[in-house]
Amino acid sequence: MLFEQVCIIGLGLIGASLAQAIKDRQLVGRLVAVDRHALSIEAALKDNVIDAGSDSLLDVVEGSDCIIIAVPVKTVALIFEDIEQAMHKGLVKADCVISDVSSTKLNVVDAAKKVFHELPIGFVPAHPIAGAEQSGYSARRGNLFVNHSLIICELTSTEPEAIEKVSKLWKSVGAKIMNMDVEHHDAVLAYTSHLPHLLAFNLVEQLASHDDNMDIFRYAAGGFRDFSRIAASDPVMWHDIFIANKPALLNALDEYSSYLAKLRNLIDNEDSTELLGLLGRAQSARKHFGHMLTSTPYTKQLSDPSNTDNFMTTSSNASSAYIITPSTTINGSIHVPGDKSISHRSIMFGSLAEGVTKVTGFLEGEDALATLQAFRDMGVTIEGPENGEVTIHGVGINGLKPSNTPLYMGNSGTTMRLLSGILAAQSFDSVLTGDASLSKRPMERVAKPLREMGATIQTTGERGTAPISITGSAKRGSKLKGITYDMPVASAQVKSCLLLAGLWAEGKTTVIQPEISRDHTERMLSAFGYNVDVEGNKISVIGGGKMTACNIAVPADISSAAFFMVAASIAKDSEITINKVGMNPTRTGVIDILKLMNANITISNETYVGNEPVADITIKSATLKGIQIPEEFVPLAIDEFPVLFIAASCAQGQTVLTGAKELRIKESDRIAVMAEGLIQLGVNCTVTEDGIIIEGKGDNSESEAVFGGGEIYSHHDHRIAMSFSIASLRANDTIKIEGVETVNTSFPGFAELCNSIGMNIAVKSA
Ligand code: S3P
């Protein structure tokens, strides 16, 4: 039992719901209640919700070790007087837990101070963020608090044990506990609850006082109904709350008025770009706030997006799974989503260009959406994405504005590294954060050379990792300096970061790459009219130029196509055509490697989309053989190795990969994580310092199956999840893959596409 006897004062919606929840779960020895409405007490006794009740505290409180005050804020002071009297009379002990449910906290604590002089050690101010438009005992719901937040305002005078007990009680009725200090609570609630209620009441009043109000209400559309829903709440309660939280609410209201005035101006001046920007930012903030708070993907819908409280309570470790029943043959002609690298860059360059850039084929996956959101946060008006179409109203090379909040990059290393280069040169400071996987990835690889260029940049994580804090050089009144940088690794992200920083630098910035890495930055800079000098592995830009908007058609992502190239190769009697895939020669290593492994690949309809080559790729089943992968292919197939390991497992003989240390610092340690999964599914492999040796099972004449069934963890890495899905084409039992929400990083619709060609993936939602 949490308490011997709980006394709830006030059987309104919150008090009665708490009583019901406690009774349903039999959490306490005895439950008594006080309410000035005899009818509520009578009903609660009849319904067996309480064991005793009265309209006077002194009648029923004796023996209570917990009192919960659930009366309107204005009345709380009077209740404290009753409790003080009960203590005085010895009916309750001095250490009795006293808590409340009020929506304002400062006035409640002040009232307690006035009555008790010294705050009782059991006093725990609390506030459940739950409610409904209906009020009173009969509106009660025993599950009202499930998955809702309970804010506790810890006071220095309170015994930790009392806080612990109150937390346990609320957790037991399903609430999630958050801590806040009293002032902060009142300020936050002024914005998130009190101001919206005030505005809803105000709008209804405004419309109702019109002469033609009947018409206005008769034709009131969904907008009015949605907006005014909360104006159906109890006016007395809200009157009390508005007055109780006067200082914080007035602050919020003043700020609101200045925003409204700004909006009025935009409409008056018909400033479409700014207006669209403001509305677009608001729309995406509404959609994405919850995801940012809970580190869940942008593309995953919250269970009830209309419930703002869910934003705080949706679990951050929710995980979806694929349950894949083996299938053997696949066939079809498919399209895979747009290229991730090019989608990122289209937003970045379009934002920095002068004029309007239209993008088609944009990848609406998590990573590219993180880039899009970051530029919106920096004041760029971006319309869409809608069916892969995005319109970017470029602000010019010096037009970015500081974001009001840290820029959240989700899982995207490309966003974080490329943006570091851009932000190092700005006239404002920035903070870049990411999800758990991104926060483990090395960021010093860009921070160090940026510092050589004169940037002020700190990787504030534990080991040269995010969050990254950047002081823009223009803010310090200085310019970055062009450098020549000999890159220790062939990383397109590092190269692009420095070239981008070079756009604002004094003089020439040159990067020398040890091997060729993807060149989308170079190509797109040229497309936007910025001169890039490429001499073999040496790439240079001169700072101080400008970019001019252009239209970008994003080709299909060869990294996404790779899953189907391997799938059709390892499956029996299969043939797949993947249409209009990007064939940039810095990306086609996967085709070269598969061809060396004896894959049957035909390239047709070679053409250009924008300034990127594309072609259709047809792959047929083949007997693959193990190979020593030539090291020069590694940077050209860097993202495709997880699925190439699946191909190697199905090949005859051994496949050896060397020179691929970089794989250890991708979205996961792709060597270790793939090895773990392969072994789990019955494939022998040996991890080496810079690669892996895989013993292919393709020459097992007894069975076509290469993999057994089993459970695989994605380690928050999209490509791991998708690669093991492909393994199901040669598995003899069900493969379950945990953590597949991460697939949306690069390939929304992956499971559906697999199923459309003959695979059998069931998606189990979190
Ligand atoms: C990318 C470059 C590669 C790649 C990543 C995207 C890019 O990373 O792995 O998925 O868009 O520039 P590195 O450049 O760090 O190898």
Side-chain angles (χ1 to χ4, degrees), residues 423-621:
L423 295 174
Q426 301 303 314
S427 58
F428 51 83
D429 299 341
S430 309
V431 174
L432 280 59
T433 64
D435 71 3
S437 148
L438 182 56
S439 303
K440 284 191 207 134
R441 299 181 64 188
M443 292 300 148
E444 275 299 311
R445 54 173 50 200
V446 290
K448 196 172 148 279
L450 283 173
R451 274 185 216 115
E452 280 179 37
M453 295 178 76
T456 304
I457 173 165
Q458 280 164 317
T459 50
T460 66
E462 266 172 32
R463 278 167 291 128
T465 44
I468 298 181
S469 166
I470 300 174
T471 307
S473 66
K475 189 186 174 200
R476 287 179 280 118
S478 64
K479 265 190 155 189
L480 299 179
K481 289 182 295 293
I483 56 165
T484 297
Y485 187 65
D486 228 327
M487 293 200 311
V489 282
S491 161
Q493 293 181 353
V494 176
K495 171 177 68 178
S496 306
C497 164
L498 300 183
L499 290 176
L500 287 171
L503 303 184
W504 287 269
E506 238 163 30
K508 191 175 184 178
T509 300
T510 302
V511 283
I512 304 169
Q513 44 183 358
E515 278 157 292
I516 288 182
S517 65
R518 66 189 66 185
D519 66 357
H520 305 299
T521 298
E522 296 89 307
R523 283 176 191 250
M524 212 183 277
L525 275 173
S526 306
F528 277 88
Y530 206 105
N531 198 38
V532 187
D533 189 33
V534 183
E535 264 178 66
N537 274 349
K538 216 166 138 187
I539 304 119
S540 310
V541 291
I542 294 175
K546 64 169 196 160
M547 285 191 261
T548 311
C550 68
N551 292 342
I552 302 282
V554 182
D557 198 330
I558 188 165
S559 299
S560 299
F563 297 105
F564 298 96
M565 296 186 209
V566 172
S569 299
I570 65 171
K572 221 168 109 182
D573 303 329
S574 298
E575 179 174 336
I576 294 284
T577 295
I578 316 161
N579 294 284
K580 289 211 163 68
V581 180
M583 294 292 281
N584 180 313
T586 61
R587 297 286 298 280
T588 47
V590 61
I591 297 180
D592 298 321
I593 294 171
L594 280 173
K595 278 189 170 161
L596 283 180
M597 293 176 80
N598 201 34
N600 183 342
I601 302 182
T602 318
I603 311 291
S604 58
N605 294 331
E606 289 178 70
T607 172
Y608 271 81
V609 163
N611 54 351
E612 294 276 352
V614 298
D616 297 344
I617 306 176
T618 301
I619 316 100
K620 293 184 189 165
S621 315

Side-chain angles (χ1 to χ4, degrees), residues 281 344 347-349 351-352 370-382 392 400-401 407 415 419 422:
R281 275 197 303 283
H344 280 302
I347 298 291
M348 295 179 188
F349 293 35
S351 296
L352 294 170
T371 298
L372 190 149
Q373 183 60 32
F375 279 88
R376 270 198 179 129
D377 289 345
M378 291 190 286
V380 182
T381 296
I382 303 177
I392 308 159
L400 294 179
K401 292 190 192 124
L407 296 163
T415 316
L419 266 187
I422 295 173

Side-chain angles (χ1 to χ4, degrees), residues 178-228:
M178 299 172 73
N179 291 301
M180 256 182 214
D181 68 45
V182 170
E183 284 80 11
H184 189 50
H185 169 277
D186 285 6
V188 168
L189 268 291
Y191 281 107
T192 58
S193 171
H194 309 166
L195 180 65
H197 277 88
L198 183 139
L199 298 178
F201 283 114
N202 183 58
L203 185 75
V204 181
E205 160 71 3
Q206 184 189 340
L207 267 58
S209 357
H210 271 255
D211 292 344
D212 51 355
N213 64 28
M214 286 315 282
D215 266 355
I216 290 181
F217 285 121
R218 190 170 297 128
Y219 298 113
F224 173 73
R225 273 201 300 272
D226 285 350
F227 189 90
S228 63

Side-chain angles (χ1 to χ4, degrees), residues 339-342 344-345 367 412-415 417-418 441 445 487 489-497 517-521 557 559 587 634-635 637-640 662-663 665-667 670 718-719:
D339 188 280
K340 184 156 76 74
S341 293
I342 299 175
H344 280 302
R345 288 159 173 83
D367 273 19
S412 177
T414 309
T415 316
R417 295 201 177 112
L418 270 58
R441 299 181 64 188
R445 54 173 50 200
M487 293 200 311
V489 282
S491 161
Q493 293 181 353
V494 176
K495 171 177 68 178
S496 306
C497 164
S517 65
R518 66 189 66 185
D519 66 357
H520 305 299
T521 298
D557 198 330
S559 299
R587 297 286 298 280
V634 170
I638 191 70
D639 290 337
E640 289 67 73
E662 279 292 294
L663 289 183
I665 48 170
K666 291 294 174 189
E667 284 82 330
R670 285 185 174 158
H718 50 135
R719 302 205 195 276

Side-chain angles (χ1 to χ4, degrees), residues 588-724:
T588 47
V590 61
I591 297 180
D592 298 321
I593 294 171
L594 280 173
K595 278 189 170 161
L596 283 180
M597 293 176 80
N598 201 34
N600 183 342
I601 302 182
T602 318
I603 311 291
S604 58
N605 294 331
E606 289 178 70
T607 172
Y608 271 81
V609 163
N611 54 351
E612 294 276 352
V614 298
D616 297 344
I617 306 176
T618 301
I619 316 100
K620 293 184 189 165
S621 315
T623 307
L624 299 180
K625 64 175 195 323
I627 57 163
Q628 165 83 45
I629 300 176
E631 283 195 11
E632 67 266 25
F633 287 152
V634 170
L636 311 181
I638 191 70
D639 290 337
E640 289 67 73
F641 283 105
V643 77
L644 281 169
F645 294 175
I646 300 298
S649 306
C650 302
Q652 294 176 340
Q654 202 175 57
T655 293
V656 181
L657 171 68
T658 54
K661 243 191 194 150
E662 279 292 294
L663 289 183
R664 291 196 174 271
I665 48 170
K666 291 294 174 189
E667 284 82 330
S668 68
D669 176 343
R670 285 185 174 158
I671 303 228
V673 170
M674 281 305 294
E676 175 191 303
L678 290 177
I679 292 165
Q680 166 81 4
L681 300 185
V683 174
N684 282 336
C685 57
T686 312
V687 168
T688 59
E689 199 205 335
D690 65 344
I692 192 168
I693 303 166
I694 297 171
E695 310 297 339
K697 288 172 80 178
D699 41 15
N700 179 355
S701 48
E702 276 152 42
S703 154
E704 273 170 5
V706 163
F707 304 99
E711 194 162 326
I712 300 290
Y713 296 92
S714 75
H715 291 260
H716 211 70
D717 187 333
H718 50 135
R719 302 205 195 276
I720 302 290
M722 290 186 277
S723 298
F724 281 110

